[in-house]
Amino acid sequence: MNMESITIAFVGDVMIGGEFVPYAERKGFDLLTPFKNIVPFIDGSDILFINLEGPLYEGQDRRRDKTTVLSSNSAVISLFKKETSIRVFNLANNHIMDYLDQGLEQTLKILSENGIHHIGAGRNIAEADRGIIVKCKNQHVAFLGYTSNEPFVGAIIASEKEAGCASFLNKDKIVLDIKRKKQNADIVCVSLHWGREHYQFPDYELVKLARDCVDAGADYIIGHHPHMIQGIEEYNGSIIMYSLGNFFFPPTKSIYGRSQYQKASGKEFVVVKS
């Protein structure tokens, strides 16, 4: 059977929240205004992949071990809602559980209601680890998402009875997940929320992990979390994107009211279309 060409677009961290929302309200402009020049470029893709940095929810019950908690305005749904494309949101990151179980539950509900696929987090470890396979034209594309609870990442990892994210710290399990997905998919995409913030280069062990994932059958590795662009590598015919940077990540405030701004490198990003 001839394989019809498909185009996948990958973007990094997205958080339509923080100080941007009240600023936009004061100025009276639409929350999607900053994206007007790039949306046509993204809209030409059959599949769009993003990392959603924070839940679609804001409430009183939040993580108490963090000075900065994030949430994203539901406008993010409108931004990426295109009926002719498949949208996949990665939730395996250190902010999706900032408003704990309620925040995750509300996010899952909104994404499902809007026909958006999601990976990497769930009500328990079985859900978080599950991954997805989507059919695009005549090809099957698999997505898996992982993060970690290492101190420089700090995600909440799911357990059998507790909500949270899938972890990449058990490499043997990830390799097995990839091999299983590869049996039923033409393309396998692995999202990894990893590394150290504001580092220009990935640590050696992350390079090794990415290459091991490729050797197991992954075609694309999509990295994010460092808040800046890191290298893109072609390895054994696959593409490793170590960090795509912040697609949109405005200033935030800590729980103490202190404003926090991105460094200059945090205002740069890459969109990869393949």
Side-chain angles (χ1 to χ4, degrees):
M1 181 175 66
N2 292 327
M3 286 295 187
E4 188 176 358
S5 175
I6 64 173
T7 301
I8 310 176
F10 303 98
V11 305
D13 298 339
V14 177
M15 193 273 291
I16 302 180
E19 293 297 275
F20 169 68
V21 173
Y23 175 81
E25 290 172 348
R26 289 197 306 270
K27 296 293 185 179
F29 64 77
D30 190 278
L31 293 179
L32 303 185
T33 300
F35 305 94
K36 64 181 180 181
N37 291 324
I38 200 167
V39 163
F41 176 75
I42 294 173
D43 276 353
S45 306
D46 298 301
I47 301 176
L48 173 64
F49 177 92
I50 77 162
N51 172 58
L52 181 64
E53 195 78 34
L56 302 175
Y57 176 87
E58 188 171 357
Q60 297 301 313
D61 196 13
R62 57 173 176 77
R63 288 183 67 170
R64 302 296 168 178
D65 60 335
K66 301 178 70 172
T67 58
T68 302
V69 292
L70 302 182
S71 64
S72 207
N73 190 281
S74 58
V76 71
I77 298 298
S78 300
L79 173 63
F80 296 107
K81 188 173 182 179
K82 189 169 185 291
E83 301 304 329
T84 56
S85 67
I86 296 167
R87 293 143 294 140
V88 180
F89 282 25
N90 172 67
L91 307 182
N93 58 58
N94 57 312
H95 285 290
I96 197 64
M97 294 296 294
D98 277 4
Y99 287 93
L100 304 174
D101 291 23
Q102 283 185 301
L104 177 64
E105 189 69 44
Q106 181 71 7
T107 302
L108 297 177
K109 180 175 182 290
I110 292 172
L111 294 180
S112 290
E113 289 174 349
N114 286 274
I116 295 176
H117 302 280
H118 55 82
I119 58 168
R123 301 169 186 88
N124 51 56
I125 191 61
E127 277 194 11
D129 271 341
R130 187 175 298 155
I132 60 167
I133 296 178
V134 298
K135 186 175 182 180
C136 183
K137 297 179 180 176
N138 60 356
Q139 297 196 56
H140 291 86
V141 185
F143 289 88
L144 294 160
Y146 306 94
T147 185
S148 83
N149 58 357
E150 296 165 288
F152 46 85
V153 179
I156 291 178
I157 303 303
S159 66
E160 288 187 11
K161 296 183 178 180
E162 295 179 325
C165 303
S167 171
F168 62 70
L169 294 182
N170 184 343
K171 187 176 72 174
D172 291 342
K173 180 189 172 302
I174 295 178
V175 165
L176 185 59
D177 289 346
I178 294 170
K179 288 180 176 179
R180 285 172 173 168
K181 282 289 187 284
K182 194 70 173 181
Q183 291 175 357
N184 300 299
D186 304 293
I187 300 167
V188 176
C189 306
V190 180
S191 173
L192 295 168
H193 198 78
W194 60 359
R196 300 174 187 269
E197 293 184 347
H198 312 298
Y199 274 48
Q200 187 176 0
F201 301 100
D203 292 344
Y204 169 78
E205 60 267 23
L206 302 185
V207 175
K208 181 68 166 59
L209 172 61
R211 293 178 179 179
D212 286 344
C213 288
V214 169
D215 290 340
D219 300 283
Y220 296 97
I221 306 295
I222 314 108
H224 29 83
H225 178 64
H227 297 298
M228 66 181 300
I229 299 168
Q230 292 181 351
I232 296 177
E233 175 185 25
E234 184 177 355
Y235 172 75
N236 284 352
S238 297
I239 302 297
I240 301 173
M241 300 160 258
Y242 286 100
S243 175
L244 295 174
N246 294 325
F247 184 69
F248 192 75
F249 206 100
T252 59
K253 277 188 177 180
S254 74
I255 59 173
Y256 305 112
R258 180 172 61 87
S259 294
Q260 301 170 111
Y261 300 91
Q262 286 296 322
K263 298 179 180 180
S265 58
K267 299 176 183 178
E268 299 176 344
F269 64 89
V270 175
V271 176
V272 174
K273 290 180 73 173
S274 177

